[in-house]
Amino acid sequence: MGVTLVMNITIDADVFLFDLDGTIYLGDVPIPGAIETVKYLESLGKRVFFLTNNSGHTGSEYVKKLAKLGYLAQPDQIISSGDATIWYLKSNRSGKSVFPLATKTFTDELKKNSIPISKEADIVLLAFDTTITYEKIWHANILLSKGCEFITTHGDLVCPSEFGNMPDVGSLTALFTSSSGRKPDVICGKPYSIMAELINQRIKNVSLDRVLMIGDRLYTDILFGIKNGYRSVVVLTGETSSDVLDRSDIKPDHIFNSVNDLVQL
Ligand SMILES: [Mg+2]
């Protein structure tokens, strides 16, 4: 793409919220032209954020990943379900202790934010945890059975990988629902409102209909837009095909082949 880009006339927004996997890249491979499109939008003075439901990594890891693809993000441009969860705990559960089922990276992030961690916690916090053990599952189940609050970072059932789907937080939640009878009291990531509250705080005076959510999953990205008053674009570079779109009740405002259709040649 060269200097002849112009804004797609069907899209007029001030803030662009991009999903990452399936939208900006697929695993480690960038969607051709996606980074150039993001840079072009910024050259027009548009604000850009990247949202991910993955709570196994921190913002700085995504800054590094985007830098490898050629985009230098500021840390506050990246909002993960883990960030939304930490923000929620600090603003709504101040002083409460958590028992985290989480990677070391996310647990360290909780500590950095002075969130008390304890085995006798007030809250069981379930994040994307590739280090989970039977012992942790058992202990969390004891706490949940005693009536501890149950907070999860997000609800996705699976996380795609090049080898096949990985069980994600939603699948582990189903395990705890079976073993303790408990459903989450709070879910923080897309499509729920906590991540949107954090975004709205960062974008301050922008009216919500000037915010555009762009992503590849209908039941997380697009529903997130619909439920929180943003306009939405589904891109067909990831999970959603036109067949899936036809069958779904979740209807985005726009359907684009890729993020590159946000601009026109
Ligand atoms: Mg995606």
Side-chain angles (χ1 to χ4, degrees):
M1 292 223 228
V3 288
T4 49
L5 294 174
V6 292
M7 193 76 198
N8 185 328
I9 48 165
T10 58
I11 298 295
D12 184 21
D14 297 323
V15 176
F16 290 75
L17 308 174
F18 289 99
D19 167 56
L20 283 169
D21 212 348
T23 301
I24 298 293
Y25 50 71
L26 283 167
D28 287 324
V29 182
I31 306 280
I35 295 294
E36 288 81 356
T37 294
V38 170
K39 286 181 178 172
Y40 175 71
L41 291 170
E42 284 193 321
S43 76
L44 299 178
K46 309 295 184 185
R47 289 185 72 188
V48 171
F49 292 91
F50 301 95
L51 311 185
T52 172
N53 265 359
N54 191 326
S55 54
H57 301 286
T58 58
S60 61
E61 289 170 294
Y62 286 104
V63 168
K64 276 186 210 149
K65 179 156 188 175
L66 286 168
K68 260 194 213 161
L69 304 181
Y71 180 81
L72 298 175
Q74 297 299 314
D76 71 350
Q77 280 181 278
I78 293 163
I79 301 175
S80 71
S81 62
D83 295 324
T85 303
I86 288 172
W87 177 77
Y88 180 79
L89 290 170
K90 287 170 80 173
S91 33
N92 294 277
R93 295 292 184 275
S94 177
K96 298 274 185 193
S97 59
V98 303
F99 179 70
L101 298 145
T103 57
K104 182 176 183 307
T105 309
F106 186 51
T107 305
D108 286 346
E109 206 64 24
L110 292 167
K111 288 180 190 161
K112 258 189 237 162
N113 282 277
S114 307
I115 293 166
I117 291 172
S118 165
K119 278 198 95 176
E120 301 307 317
D122 305 300
I123 298 165
V124 169
L125 175 57
L126 177 58
F128 186 59
D129 184 7
T130 48
T131 64
I132 202 162
T133 60
Y134 191 85
E135 197 184 348
K136 282 204 262 183
I137 293 172
W138 185 9
H139 188 71
N141 198 61
I142 292 168
L143 294 176
L144 289 175
S145 303
K146 280 190 201 162
C148 260
E149 189 172 17
F150 187 17
I151 297 182
T152 70
T153 54
H154 61 290
D156 300 38
L157 294 171
V158 293
C159 176
S161 88
E162 57 184 308
F163 309 108
N165 284 338
M166 303 168 78
D168 204 342
V169 167
S171 297
L172 270 296
T173 301
L175 182 156
F176 286 115
T177 301
S178 296
S179 57
S180 70
R182 298 285 305 283
K183 289 186 172 159
D185 299 297
V186 179
I187 307 175
C188 297
K190 297 174 282 182
Y192 301 98
S193 63
I194 290 167
M195 193 185 263
E197 286 168 32
L198 175 56
I199 292 164
N200 295 346
Q201 206 184 52
R202 289 199 187 165
I203 63 177
K204 291 207 172 72
N205 300 319
V206 179
S207 113
L208 298 187
D209 63 356
R210 301 287 301 165
V211 179
L212 193 66
M213 174 71 216
I214 305 111
D216 71 308
R217 263 189 183 176
L218 293 172
Y219 53 94
T220 53
D221 302 319
I222 303 308
L223 195 57
F224 180 69
I226 293 169
K227 282 168 82 115
N228 295 292
Y230 309 138
R231 288 183 295 131
S232 60
V233 172
V234 74
V235 290
L236 306 181
T237 41
E239 189 176 284
T240 301
S241 62
S242 34
D243 283 357
V244 171
L245 258 176
D246 288 345
R247 288 196 305 270
S248 176
D249 295 332
I250 302 169
K251 301 292 181 200
D253 294 301
H254 305 278
I255 302 160
F256 287 171
N257 285 320
S258 87
V259 290
N260 301 320
D261 292 345
L262 290 170
V263 296
Q264 293 173 324
L265 286 170

